[in-house]
Amino acid sequence: MSTPKRPAAAPVRAAIYVRISSDRTGGGLGVERQEADCRDLAARLGWDVAAVYADNDVSAYSGAPRPGYLAMLDDVKAGRVQAVVAWHTDRLHRRTLELEEFVALAESHDLQVQTVRSGQVDLSTASGRMVARMLGAAAQHEVDHARERMKRAKVQAAKDGKYRGGKRPYGFERDGVTHREEEADVIRHATKAVLAGRSLRAVCRDLNAEGHLTSGGKEWGPILLRDVLLRARNAGLIAHGTANRAGFEVIGTAQWEPVVDEDSWRAVVSLLTNPKRRTNSTSSENRWLGSYLYRCGRCGAVMRADSTAGPGSNRPNQAKRVHYRCTAAAHLQITQERTDAYVREVVAERVRDPRVVAALTAAKDSDAATADHERRTALAARLAAFEDDYAAGHLTGAQLARATATVQAEVEQIDARLAARVSRSALAPVLSSNDPGKAFLDAPLDVQRAVLAAVLRVEVQPATKRGVWWSPERLTLTAVGE
């Protein structure tokens, strides 16, 4: 009689965690190589890879949240994974506080930990935990030493404010300090144009038509122009990183003279890094006055331009028609041509009113603006203090992230208010002309859209009379700020 076979034990469900602090190319090749090595190790151990958690271009000691790491911890707590595979222990932690949190979680959930380079990390025994803490202490020392070097370098850079070499920056001579005036004028013009509501693509089109080339002798494109306008050096500042990426920080005043004032530069940064900014060059927003500015009178959603089919083989005499439609539901539309013509005339008359012009061109250095500047300086000091507390071990990564997020939210609100003031002042070419109404009507579409957004809120109401699809009564026009 044969002995019945015992059922095979279910394979261990493992999580692979990969991380790289700085992905300079943006290709994610570092984490891909780590994942391949970790998969090989899991296969040798006979473990099933249940999930891969990646944090690309995220430091383990910067204080920035690690979404992949946090998701992995949640799955460990939920019992979805029973083991963790990493390339090295320092991919998981580089701070002792986070290590202790991980050790406690591993003990409570019998978590197995294996690494490609450091071998098994047995957190179930006192000796294994001691080894893990020794590795963690070494990583913490490396982190602290690196932070000291970085802080000294930042302080020195802020003190010196010197050009640190590299490719000739657009707007400056090869010494990186002296303005190349023709190019500096392009930066000033483009800054004002973008703040006045012009799209990057439209500004590039004008620059190329006028024969202005980049420092590399090429024509302008929207991405390149955006990168040039976001540079802190334009405002005479030294910065670490770039304004449209995580980790950006202004660290001091440069030795060269600013090309644009700091308020204008910050306003451009706020505008061009806004995640709500629409960048689709084929969007109807770029071709029609009211797209995403007009509002639906039924539900309050924005409206967009939508066209009906033009002439075809079966309808040779049908003209192409454009309507504004509610983006939330198919319950409201209005013809584009007559609506835009009417709104343009109303806006032209409004900007001829000296009181409206005075409100839109109020001095930037008002009491409110001064208070915002002072508050922003105080908040920047608080953010620096949080980092010092984190480096000293007084705050965990989670505490630093929460405190930073709260303060950063207020900073963003202040930047938005300052940007709005500067943007209003950038409308001056229209508002300061002898006839602002005519200047508005003659302006490019993107400038008209900016003026409209600054002075008038347009709400489209449903038709009230059968057969009457357009009338001025369908438009509720309200002055901005009322």
Side-chain angles (χ1 to χ4, degrees), residues 147-164 238-239 251-255:
R147 289 180 70 90
E148 287 177 358
R149 290 199 310 270
M150 288 171 62
K151 185 170 283 190
R152 284 198 300 271
K154 287 182 180 181
V155 170
Q156 190 62 45
K159 282 182 178 179
D160 295 344
K162 293 180 178 178
Y163 175 50
R164 289 169 285 184
I238 295 282
I251 56 178
T253 303
Q255 288 186 346

Side-chain angles (χ1 to χ4, degrees), residues 128-144:
R129 291 191 292 274
M130 180 187 71
V131 171
R133 288 176 176 123
M134 290 172 63
L135 291 171
Q140 177 74 60
H141 171 73
E142 183 180 344
V143 166
D144 292 342

Side-chain angles (χ1 to χ4, degrees), residues 2-308:
S2 61
T3 304
K5 295 182 179 180
R6 294 180 180 179
V12 173
R13 297 189 304 277
I16 289 178
Y17 179 73
V18 292
R19 179 185 64 78
I20 188 169
S21 298
S22 178
D23 184 0
R24 297 187 183 277
T25 66
L29 299 179
V31 294
E32 289 179 1
R33 287 191 289 266
Q34 290 179 37
E35 181 182 341
D37 289 346
C38 289
R39 284 188 179 276
D40 288 344
L41 175 57
R44 291 197 301 272
L45 295 170
W47 291 356
D48 280 351
V49 176
V52 177
Y53 306 86
D55 287 312
N56 191 40
D57 203 18
V58 179
S59 169
Y61 64 87
S62 66
R66 290 193 283 161
Y69 177 76
L70 296 175
M72 181 184 70
L73 296 188
D74 288 341
D75 284 350
V76 170
K77 294 172 185 176
R80 287 187 281 268
V81 295
Q82 304 159 313
V84 171
V85 182
W87 195 78
H88 191 281
T89 55
D90 64 8
R91 298 300 86 193
L92 285 166
H93 315 99
R94 300 204 74 175
R95 300 191 70 251
T96 54
L97 281 173
E98 286 188 339
L99 172 62
E100 291 302 328
E101 294 171 356
F102 185 77
V103 167
L105 180 65
E107 285 187 276
S108 63
H109 290 77
D110 295 325
L111 186 68
Q112 300 183 60
V113 181
Q114 289 276 356
T115 68
V116 174
R117 298 301 299 269
S118 308
Q120 181 182 13
V121 182
D122 187 359
L123 299 178
S124 64
T125 65
S127 59
R129 291 191 292 274
M130 180 187 71
V131 171
R133 288 176 176 123
M134 290 172 63
L135 291 171
Q140 177 74 60
H141 171 73
E142 183 180 344
V143 166
D144 292 342
H145 189 51
R147 289 180 70 90
E148 287 177 358
R149 290 199 310 270
M150 288 171 62
K151 185 170 283 190
R152 284 198 300 271
K154 287 182 180 181
V155 170
Q156 190 62 45
K159 282 182 178 179
D160 295 344
K162 293 180 178 178
Y163 175 50
R164 289 169 285 184
K167 182 181 177 181
R168 182 183 76 80
Y170 186 83
F172 294 82
E173 299 293 348
R174 294 194 180 279
D175 61 6
V177 174
T178 307
H179 290 181
R180 183 170 287 193
E181 281 305 324
E182 182 181 357
E183 294 180 354
D185 284 342
V186 168
I187 294 174
R188 297 184 191 105
H189 164 76
T191 297
K192 290 179 181 177
V194 169
L195 290 176
R198 303 214 66 193
S199 67
L200 289 171
R201 191 170 297 277
V203 177
C204 289
R205 188 166 56 245
D206 290 350
L207 293 178
N208 293 333
E210 294 167 5
H212 295 289
L213 300 177
T214 69
S215 56
K218 298 180 180 179
E219 288 196 337
W220 287 96
I223 301 293
L224 181 56
L225 180 60
R226 179 202 64 189
D227 292 345
V228 168
L229 296 183
L230 289 177
R231 299 179 318 185
R233 72 162 25 253
N234 296 346
L237 300 172
I238 295 282
H240 174 71
T242 53
N244 58 338
R245 299 196 65 183
F248 173 74
E249 180 185 3
V250 174
I251 56 178
T253 303
Q255 288 186 346
W256 55 84
E257 290 296 317
V259 176
V260 298
D261 64 88
E262 186 175 343
D263 279 0
S264 295
W265 172 74
R266 289 194 181 278
V268 164
V269 170
S270 178
L271 178 67
L272 296 182
T273 59
N274 185 343
K276 296 181 180 179
R277 178 178 170 83
R278 300 176 61 85
T279 57
N280 182 359
S281 62
T282 63
S283 169
S284 63
E285 177 182 358
N286 298 318
R287 291 178 286 154
W288 310 107
L289 179 67
S291 276
Y292 299 95
L293 292 180
Y294 297 167
R295 292 273 175 178
C296 172
R298 286 187 182 272
C299 67
V302 294
M303 304 184 74
R304 65 177 176 84
D306 193 12
S307 60
T308 58

Side-chain angles (χ1 to χ4, degrees), residues 417-429:
R417 289 197 297 270
L418 292 172
R421 293 188 185 101
V422 176
S423 294
R424 286 197 298 270
S425 70
L427 301 176

